[in-house]
């Protein structure tokens, strides 16, 4: 249930002067640890899945676990698709349950970055999903020594940032002001003056990538200049690697021995960060300010007239292909009545990621074409309903609750 709209979550952080941690999930130890840390700190949290890590784990297999962790949490959670490379990446994020997406076109020319980001924003917003853009270049690779990837930082220009946000309508902006991805040698020189000017010009939540390894004072100055989301991965890998080394030293030669205590190590680091970034203790307040992120089920039950069962099944298969590809559609379940004598023989059960998809789906050219050319001409009477799960009501005996 506490899966909430990411835009509401980050607006709250931005307006109240703290930052939400977006921690990278690369395995179940990380997922469990991040959630434990958030629960202990009573903090809102973002579970972040970076496309660059998908070679290390099966993203489609991981996402049901990520969603389950979010739904059973007692603190507000959002799920973010990090560093996607193109519109298809964003669609993949949305399809599998992310309610915030980042497409990183910051290495391209300004005008190309604007074009790609704009396209992503149009599609994602039509699905109710928030978008993070990036301007300027933050060098380094998450989880690795920054000295091995010595690209120069290209700091975000204030003037360009203003034009970029106006043209793309991104909800949050990742800025380059001196942080790097991965472990940094020496102290980073952060350009607070630039950050302040960007914040004054944009007035939207700002994002820091490369959130590992900064001091408490540096974090405070970032947050007081508009940073509302801090991405963190390398710091988690460090505590996990340390724990694995200790386990091996303790002469553990069993797999479970070597990987024991990893989620606890992650939880402690996550909790430490949240206390530092001011999000600890905010869960209840954030929950009251955020809309719950709810999917919508779209159900159609129908008969086909003058069509043999075999052809009807081909029609359903074509519907499955067309509808599955529409942005914001998470699942399509074509079904056939179990009972021979059922009044209606066929059904579609389609899951939209957000109520906004209902209208966009109906108007989508592929749906319109399928409906007009293939479905309507053969479908007889049909019934359709868009519904969402009801909020749980306090349990009381049904008889007593009846109005007499
Ligand atoms: P670190 O790996 O430096 O913590 O940065 C993570 C990040 O920015 C992910 O987008």
């Amino acid at each position: 249930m506490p899966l909430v709209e990411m835009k509401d979550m980050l607006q709250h952080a931005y307006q109240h002067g703290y930052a939400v941690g977006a921690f990278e999930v690369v395995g179940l130890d990380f997922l469990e640890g991040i959630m434990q840390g958030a629960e202990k700190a009573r903090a809102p949290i973002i579970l972040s899945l970076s496309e660059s890590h998908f070679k290390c784990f099966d993203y489609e297999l991981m996402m049901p676990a990520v969603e389950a962790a979010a739904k059973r949490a007692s603190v507000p959670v959002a799920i973010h698709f990090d560093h996607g490379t193109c519109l298809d990446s964003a669609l993949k994020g949305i399809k599998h349950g992310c309610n915030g997406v980042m497409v990183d076109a910051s290495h391209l020319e300004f005008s190309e970055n604007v074009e790609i980001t704009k396209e992503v924003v149009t599609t994602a917003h039509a699905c109710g999903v928030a978008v993070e853009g990036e301007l300027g270049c933050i060098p380094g690779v998450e989880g690795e020594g920054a000295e091995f990837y010595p690209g120069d930082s290209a700091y975000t220009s204030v003037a360009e940032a203003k034009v970029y946000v106006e043209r793309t309508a991104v909800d949050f902006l990742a800025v380059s002001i001196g942080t790097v991805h991965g472990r940094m040698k020496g102290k980073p020189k952060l350009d607070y003056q630039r950050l302040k000017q960007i914040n004054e010009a944009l007035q939207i939540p700002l994002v820091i990538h490369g959130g590992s390894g900064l001091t408490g004072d540096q974090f405070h100055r970032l947050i007081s200049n508009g940073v509302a989301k801090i991405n963190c991965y390398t710091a988690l890998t460090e505590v996990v690697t340390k724990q694995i080394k200790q386990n091996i030293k303790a002469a553990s030669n069993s797999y479970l021995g070597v990987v024991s205590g990893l989620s606890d190590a992650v939880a402690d680091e996550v909790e430490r960060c949240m206390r530092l970034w001011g999000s600890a203790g905010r869960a209840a307040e954030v929950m009251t300010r955020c809309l719950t992120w709810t999917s919508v089920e779209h159900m159609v039950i129908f008969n086909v007239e003058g069509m043999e069962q075999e052809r009807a099944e081909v029609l359903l298969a074509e519907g499955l292909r067309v509808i599955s590809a529409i942005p914001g559609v998470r699942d399509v379940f074509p079904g056939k009545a179990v009972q021979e004598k059922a009044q209606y023989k066929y059904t579609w059960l389609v899951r939209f990621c957000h109520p906004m998809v209902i209208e966009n789906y109906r108007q989508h050219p592929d749906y319109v074409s399928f409906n007009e050319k293939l479905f309507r001409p053969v479908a007889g009477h049909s019934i359709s309903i868009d519904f969402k799960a009801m909020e749980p009501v306090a349990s009381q005996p049904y008889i007593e609750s009846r109005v007499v």
Side-chain angles (χ1 to χ4, degrees), residues 24 82-83 142-143 180-182 208-212 231-235:
E24 297 284 336
D82 200 27
H83 287 293
E142 295 96 328
V180 299
H181 290 112
I208 284 294
H209 283 243
S212 298
N231 289 13
C232 177
Y233 172 61
T234 302

Side-chain angles (χ1 to χ4, degrees), residues 346-390:
Y346 297 102
T347 183
W348 301 112
L349 185 57
V350 183
R351 186 149 60 105
F352 301 143
C353 68
H354 188 274
M356 276 189 73
V357 182
I358 299 172
E359 224 22 68
N360 294 321
Y361 168 82
R362 286 213 181 94
Q363 288 166 12
H364 194 281
D366 293 347
Y367 170 74
V368 172
S369 159
F370 169 75
N371 198 35
E372 285 176 1
K373 292 195 187 131
L374 301 179
F375 184 67
R376 277 288 141 224
V378 293
H381 186 240
S382 66
I383 297 178
S384 74
I385 175 175
D386 297 303
F387 63 96
K388 59 180 183 172
M390 293 195 307

Side-chain angles (χ1 to χ4, degrees), residues 70-372:
K71 283 182 185 157
R72 77 175 185 189
S74 68
V75 295
V77 185
I79 305 175
H80 183 67
F81 192 93
D82 200 27
H83 287 293
T85 51
C86 55
L87 178 62
D88 276 351
S89 312
L91 288 171
K92 189 170 163 183
I94 295 168
K95 183 149 203 88
H96 293 281
C98 296
N99 64 356
V101 293
M102 180 214 194
V103 167
D104 180 2
S106 60
H107 53 290
L108 301 174
E109 288 293 316
F110 178 76
S111 58
E112 281 181 84
N113 187 354
V114 167
E115 274 324 297
I116 291 176
T117 310
K118 214 159 98 177
E119 200 185 10
V120 170
V121 170
T122 306
T123 306
H125 281 183
C127 301
V129 170
V131 179
E132 174 182 328
E134 178 172 320
L135 195 59
C137 177
I138 302 162
V141 170
E142 295 96 328
E144 310 215 6
E147 70 272 24
F148 303 124
Y149 302 91
D152 283 337
S153 292
Y155 283 48
T156 307
S157 130
V158 183
E160 277 189 352
K162 202 162 175 343
V163 178
Y164 178 84
V165 171
E166 276 164 13
R167 291 203 187 149
T168 61
V170 288
D171 303 286
F172 330 116
L173 183 70
V175 290
S176 172
I177 51 120
T179 57
V180 299
H181 290 112
R183 264 180 307 279
M184 192 182 240
K185 260 196 171 165
K187 280 191 183 154
K189 283 199 187 72
L190 304 183
D191 190 341
Y192 299 111
Q193 190 53 26
R194 181 183 297 269
L195 182 65
K196 185 170 186 280
Q197 287 169 358
I198 295 172
N199 185 33
E200 282 167 2
L202 304 186
Q203 300 285 299
I204 62 169
L206 302 177
V207 180
I208 284 294
H209 283 243
S212 298
L214 303 182
T215 64
D217 179 56
Q218 286 171 320
F219 282 128
H220 288 143
R221 293 183 71 181
L222 293 175
I223 293 165
S224 61
N225 285 301
V227 168
K229 172 174 178 270
I230 298 177
N231 289 13
C232 177
Y233 172 61
T234 302
L236 302 187
T237 66
E238 284 176 350
V239 294
V240 161
T241 310
K242 190 170 159 206
Q243 183 67 42
I244 291 174
K245 284 182 181 159
Q246 274 172 17
N247 291 345
I248 293 174
K249 233 187 188 163
S252 180
N253 57 5
S254 79
Y255 169 74
L256 291 179
V258 169
V259 297
S260 72
L262 302 191
S263 56
D264 291 342
V266 169
D268 289 348
E269 178 59 14
V270 166
E271 189 185 353
R272 186 187 74 83
C273 290
M274 289 173 159
R275 299 205 182 280
L276 211 54
W277 302 343
S279 58
R282 300 270 189 176
E285 175 192 347
V286 171
M287 200 76 103
T288 61
R289 300 299 171 86
C290 294
L291 285 177
T292 307
W293 176 261
T294 28
S295 58
V296 170
E297 312 290 326
H298 169 71
M299 178 185 261
V300 188
I301 54 174
F302 59 97
N303 284 319
V304 288
E305 279 162 10
M307 199 181 231
E308 285 166 12
Q309 183 167 319
E310 217 170 282
R311 285 210 49 223
E313 285 175 15
V314 173
L315 174 71
L316 261 76
E318 176 61 4
L320 173 66
R321 189 188 68 77
V322 171
I323 292 170
S324 301
I326 294 176
V329 169
R330 295 208 46 201
D331 291 308
V332 186
F333 182 90
K336 197 165 70 177
V338 176
Q339 282 97 351
E340 281 277 309
K341 289 194 181 129
Q343 194 184 348
Y344 290 94
K345 290 272 184 308
Y346 297 102
T347 183
W348 301 112
L349 185 57
V350 183
R351 186 149 60 105
F352 301 143
C353 68
H354 188 274
M356 276 189 73
V357 182
I358 299 172
E359 224 22 68
N360 294 321
Y361 168 82
R362 286 213 181 94
Q363 288 166 12
H364 194 281
D366 293 347
Y367 170 74
V368 172
S369 159
F370 169 75
N371 198 35
E372 285 176 1

